[in-house]
Amino acid sequence: MPLNFHFRFRRNNTPSTSRRDADDEEDGASTSHGWFMGASNIVINRPTMVDKPKIIQNFDQGKTVLELLIKTMTPGAAADSSVRYPPPRCYPGTRTSLTTEIKTWLFSADRAQSMMWLHGPPGVGKSAIAQSIAEFAEEKACLGASFFFSGTRNDPNKVFPTLAYQFAVRIPEYKQIITAQLAHDPDILDKAPRLQFKKLIVEPFVLLRSRPRVLIILDGLDECLGNDMQCEIVELINEVVCSPTPLPLLWMICSRPEPHLTYLFFRAHFQIACWKEELFVDEEESKGDVEHYIREELKNIHGRYAHTITEDEDGVWPPEEVVVVIIEAASGLFVFASTVLKFIGDSNMLTRRANLRLLSLSSNTLIFSAIPTRTLPATLILLGAYIVNDETLKRRGVQVVANLLGYSRREFYSTLSKLHSILGIPAPEEAASTALGIFHKSLGEYLTDPARSGRFHLDKREVHSALAKGCLRLLFEDVRSTSSTPSFICWPAPAALDNDKIVRRYVKFFLTGWTWKNCVSEGDHVLPHLVESLREYDFGALDYLAWQQGAIILFMDFLSWLYEVSLKEPQLNCILRTERKSDRDDELLAYGRALMPNSIPFDFEHDLKAPLEKLSDPPRLLLLGYDGKTALVSFCVPIIGVYSPAFPPASQERTAILTRFFT
């Protein structure tokens, strides 16, 4: 039935004096509240009324959109944030060729790519270049947004809301579009990054395709949480730049050349379409720029403190040999040079003089002087684990090495906290598989030369002793542990991750060989704390271990070394023996002879030098350790058996294994 009605109404035409109304009209919001606003004496005849709920958005355009975005953005991530003040930027006269090339790319009408990847090791100046380009683009009104990642600014869920906030501030048309987007669906900001990218970046700029291009800078992408999220961000951008109808956006991504990012950008089957630019530490231009920076800053420091600086007889400060030391040590690393110059330019005169005295010896000395005395020994041991050992250990993730030494996650990172300018220190989520990076090849030479390093000298015996002690402890704890996450792992990875399996597997892998290898590396003069560890060690903890031939060879080397050391070191006298010294020895020898009636005592003079295959027939027996911690060792190559009543077989399976050792 048709709807018949009539009504009379009078609109209120009085101009609004509400500030809210004025703001709404200024921002383009509708001020109408329906046909009956201000009406009176309404008469409706025979209506059919339909109840249709009305959703009213309390969304004040131009204000609420920024307030909403600011709640979900990352503070301090923008190029002009006071949190980063003073930000790193290119020193005048440095990086001129590359920055000029990037500036040309920004305004080129025939550019081949809309994305660039600037990559290089830490400290080479990537962030400084990104900051300088951001400031240039801001001056030219073509900076869209920037996100400078760091250890605290790394949440992938906040990257695109942070960029959206900056777009809304800089681009009025974008602000109108995103206001409507968020009014329609405020939950966009709580969506996954992929959907955020679509709603906050792609869809708005599809509508703004005809506007001039703007630059987006993502610096330090490798510090974003999660390798997968870092790759996803790059792939999202790649989808946009490869679109047949590209958006008015240019992307500049800066990061370390982490393996997953390098693979992503260079994979053969689906390469990322971008301009790839690598910064090298040792290239001549980089070294020249760093030298220019060092010399100019030293002039500035001299000018600031001319009234307190003591010059040489030629009126020169600092001496040229000191300048050369800094330049050579920096080797193209801006962060290294910056750290040194901060020390020299300290406003405290006494500190500055002390720093210069250190610089006259070595810039490495300056860096290591910043390490607290209480953590210095642990720092040197950790570095030594990578410097004095072979490539097998050097390639392992820092989490594996930390566990071998007994360092927790907190201890590991606090130990190396002052060395970021000369080391590549993996983030916690990468620690299981990423090794420690040593930027300066000369670092090992410096630390192992006492004439150069002085009190920072790295004693190789201390390193081997620490690793040997740590491995002995782990061997003992491994046998005793029954939990799925053994207590001997000082720095476990989350159980849900494969990294935890990696850590435990490699820790156990190193135990059966590196324990003995590091003991042997001590040489003839064993440090007292390793002597004490060997004397007090319960060798029964080696029970039930069946070693492969490589580990057997290392164990034989250990026995040979231990025998020679025991002849010279009174505290280790008779730690290896075939004759009884106690009732426990009688028990062990009797057990071995009962299982292997044809066994003979181990002949130290002959068997330690004999080929392994000669030790099988007949089997050899010896005693290892002291008192209640003695174990019986049998040699029936290719298997070595160790037995101790302290760790009796707990099942038929283990009994079978033990019997196999002795038969």
Side-chain angles (χ1 to χ4, degrees):
M1 187 173 74
L3 175 65
N4 296 316
F5 66 92
H6 69 273
F7 55 86
R8 299 187 300 274
F9 65 90
R10 177 174 54 85
R11 295 295 301 266
N12 184 356
N13 295 319
T14 306
S16 171
T17 58
S18 165
R19 176 65 257 172
R20 159 108 182 180
D21 291 343
D23 286 343
D24 285 346
E25 291 181 6
E26 181 180 336
D27 289 330
S30 173
T31 58
S32 173
H33 293 273
W35 285 102
F36 303 108
M37 179 183 177
S40 62
N41 301 319
I42 299 174
V43 177
I44 302 178
N45 294 323
R46 302 175 64 190
T48 299
M49 308 297 292
V50 178
D51 184 15
K52 184 177 181 182
K54 181 179 180 182
I55 300 174
I56 300 175
Q57 294 285 352
N58 183 20
F59 204 78
D60 190 359
Q61 290 183 348
K63 291 183 180 179
T64 304
V65 66
L66 296 181
E67 293 171 355
L68 193 60
L69 286 169
I70 205 169
K71 291 178 181 179
T72 56
M73 64 175 282
T74 298
D80 58 357
S81 171
S82 61
V83 174
R84 300 177 54 250
Y85 185 84
R89 54 171 63 90
C90 293
Y91 194 81
T94 65
R95 298 296 189 193
T96 53
S97 60
L98 179 56
T99 53
T100 299
E101 194 173 358
I102 296 173
K103 291 173 184 177
T104 302
W105 171 73
L106 286 178
F107 295 103
S108 174
D110 56 351
R111 69 178 72 81
Q113 298 94 5
S114 296
M115 172 170 54
M116 78 166 295
W117 180 40
L118 181 65
H119 58 101
V124 79
K126 302 182 297 296
S127 293
I129 294 173
Q131 180 69 31
S132 296
I133 293 299
E135 293 175 358
F136 170 80
E138 186 74 87
E139 291 176 3
K140 301 297 183 180
C142 66
L143 179 64
S146 58
F147 197 109
F148 285 74
F149 291 89
S150 74
T152 56
R153 301 187 297 271
N154 57 7
D155 187 347
N157 296 304
K158 296 184 177 182
V159 172
F160 299 127
T162 302
L163 300 180
Y165 176 85
Q166 296 176 51
F167 286 138
V169 170
R170 289 190 174 95
I171 306 173
E173 307 96 312
Y174 176 90
K175 182 178 179 182
Q176 293 180 1
I177 295 171
I178 204 65
T179 297
Q181 286 267 38
L182 293 176
H184 177 71
D185 184 6
D187 288 340
I188 290 174
L189 301 177
D190 296 322
K191 304 291 186 183
R194 175 171 286 274
L195 187 58
Q196 288 180 352
F197 183 76
K198 177 183 178 182
K199 295 295 184 178
L200 300 179
I201 307 294
V202 177
E203 291 183 359
F205 280 100
V206 165
L207 301 176
L208 299 173
R209 189 177 290 126
S210 60
R211 78 173 318 280
R213 294 199 176 195
V214 293
L215 175 67
I216 304 170
I217 298 176
L218 302 178
D219 178 69
L221 179 62
D222 53 281
E223 296 195 57
C224 178
L225 282 178
N227 294 352
D228 291 342
M229 281 308 310
Q230 297 169 23
C231 294
E232 182 171 347
I233 289 173
V234 174
E235 289 178 325
L236 287 173
I237 297 170
N238 187 58
E239 291 173 10
V240 169
V241 300
C242 291
S243 171
T245 53
L247 303 182
L249 301 174
L250 299 175
W251 299 85
M252 179 179 180
I253 301 174
C254 308
S255 76
R256 299 180 187 183
E258 300 296 353
H260 58 284
L261 291 175
T262 301
Y263 168 77
L264 180 65
F265 277 101
F266 286 97
R267 60 189 177 186
H269 62 284
F270 185 65
Q271 283 199 23
I272 300 297
C274 75
W275 165 24
K276 306 174 186 73
E277 186 72 33
E278 182 173 5
L279 293 177
F280 297 94
V281 174
D282 54 355
E283 64 182 1
E284 290 306 313
E285 182 179 8
S286 178
K287 290 182 176 179
D289 285 345
V290 172
E291 178 175 354
H292 173 74
Y293 167 57
I294 290 171
R295 292 188 180 278
E296 291 300 313
E297 275 301 290
L298 287 173
K299 290 179 183 178
N300 292 336
I301 293 171
H302 183 271
R304 289 200 302 271
Y305 303 109
H307 60 290
T308 61
I309 287 177
T310 302
E311 302 170 340
D312 61 20
E313 57 269 18
D314 297 325
V316 176
W317 181 95
E320 180 62 19
E321 59 267 23
V322 173
V323 179
V324 171
V325 165
I326 302 173
I327 292 171
E328 291 180 350
S331 187
L333 283 175
F334 276 93
V335 69
F336 180 93
S338 175
T339 301
V340 172
L341 292 168
K342 285 179 182 177
F343 271 84
I344 300 174
D346 192 289
S347 59
N348 185 301
M349 179 181 65
L350 294 177
T351 301
R352 187 169 59 255
R353 288 178 176 174
N355 288 338
L356 274 177
R357 284 196 296 271
L358 287 173
L359 283 170
S360 66
L361 298 173
S362 168
S363 291
N364 280 322
T365 304
L366 175 63
I367 292 176
F368 279 87
S369 296
I371 301 174
T373 303
R374 68 181 184 279
T375 61
L376 179 61
T379 303
L380 293 175
I381 292 297
L382 185 54
L383 288 174
Y386 280 94
I387 290 173
V388 307
N389 281 293
D390 62 25
E391 293 299 323
T392 307
L393 187 61
K394 290 179 181 179
R395 292 196 302 268
R396 293 297 146 241
V398 294
Q399 199 166 352
V400 175
V401 177
N403 276 298
L404 291 177
L405 291 169
Y407 292 9
S408 67
R409 168 176 163 170
R410 181 189 61 79
E411 290 168 335
F412 171 82
Y413 284 106
S414 63
T415 293
L416 300 181
S417 62
K418 302 294 183 181
L419 300 179
H420 283 268
S421 62
I422 58 174
L423 298 177
I425 304 173
E429 62 269 18
E430 301 170 348
S433 57
T434 306
L436 189 70
I438 299 177
F439 300 147
H440 292 259
K441 295 180 181 179
S442 62
L443 180 62
E445 299 172 359
Y446 165 80
L447 290 175
T448 54
D449 184 351
R452 296 173 60 190
S453 52
R455 70 185 181 94
F456 306 117
H457 173 235
L458 177 63
D459 188 337
K460 294 182 180 180
R461 294 186 308 156
E462 290 280 4
V463 177
H464 292 304
S465 179
L467 281 168
K469 285 181 62 180
C471 289
L472 285 169
R473 175 187 64 82
L474 290 169
L475 275 174
F476 182 75
E477 294 292 340
D478 187 24
V479 172
R480 298 180 64 185
S481 177
T482 58
S483 65
S484 59
T485 304
S487 60
F488 66 83
I489 298 293
C490 297
W491 178 6
L497 300 180
D498 289 339
N499 284 349
D500 186 51
K501 297 178 182 178
I502 294 172
V503 171
R504 282 187 280 166
R505 182 172 72 245
Y506 277 118
V507 167
K508 290 191 175 188
F509 167 78
F510 280 109
L511 291 186
T512 55
W514 280 77
T515 308
W516 323 123
K517 185 172 184 176
N518 280 285
C519 286
V520 172
S521 298
E522 282 284 282
D524 295 337
H525 303 287
V526 186
L527 294 175
H529 51 81
L530 182 56
V531 170
E532 184 67 19
S533 293
L534 291 170
R535 183 173 179 81
E536 296 297 324
Y537 191 68
D538 191 342
F539 285 94
L542 307 182
D543 206 8
Y544 314 132
L545 289 180
W547 298 325
Q548 300 302 317
Q549 185 151 339
I552 292 175
I553 293 173
L554 291 173
F555 185 65
M556 290 297 296
D557 290 342
F558 164 74
L559 292 178
S560 180
W561 167 83
L562 186 59
Y563 178 72
E564 295 296 331
V565 168
S566 68
L567 298 177
K568 303 174 184 178
E569 177 56 60
Q571 291 192 62
L572 295 179
N573 184 37
C574 293
I575 192 171
L576 285 171
R577 60 195 180 279
T578 57
E579 299 296 329
R580 69 171 302 279
K581 293 292 183 182
S582 65
D583 292 342
R584 177 185 175 89
D585 290 357
D586 286 336
E587 179 186 356
L588 291 169
L589 289 170
Y591 186 89
R593 289 164 185 158
L595 285 176
M596 294 179 293
N598 64 332
S599 63
I600 62 174
F602 193 91
D603 185 339
F604 293 105
E605 294 296 332
H606 176 267
D607 291 343
L608 287 174
K609 301 175 183 177
L612 283 174
E613 59 269 16
K614 298 295 184 181
L615 302 181
S616 299
D617 187 20
R620 271 68 161 175
L621 299 178
L622 65 82
L623 297 164
L624 173 60
Y626 288 117
D627 304 323
K629 299 175 181 177
T630 301
L632 178 69
V633 182
S634 72
F635 293 88
C636 190
V637 178
I639 296 174
I640 287 181
V642 183
Y643 172 71
S644 169
F647 295 89
S651 66
Q652 291 183 353
E653 180 183 359
R654 290 187 174 183
T655 302
I657 294 174
L658 183 64
T659 304
R660 182 163 59 90
F661 286 170
F662 287 102
T663 57

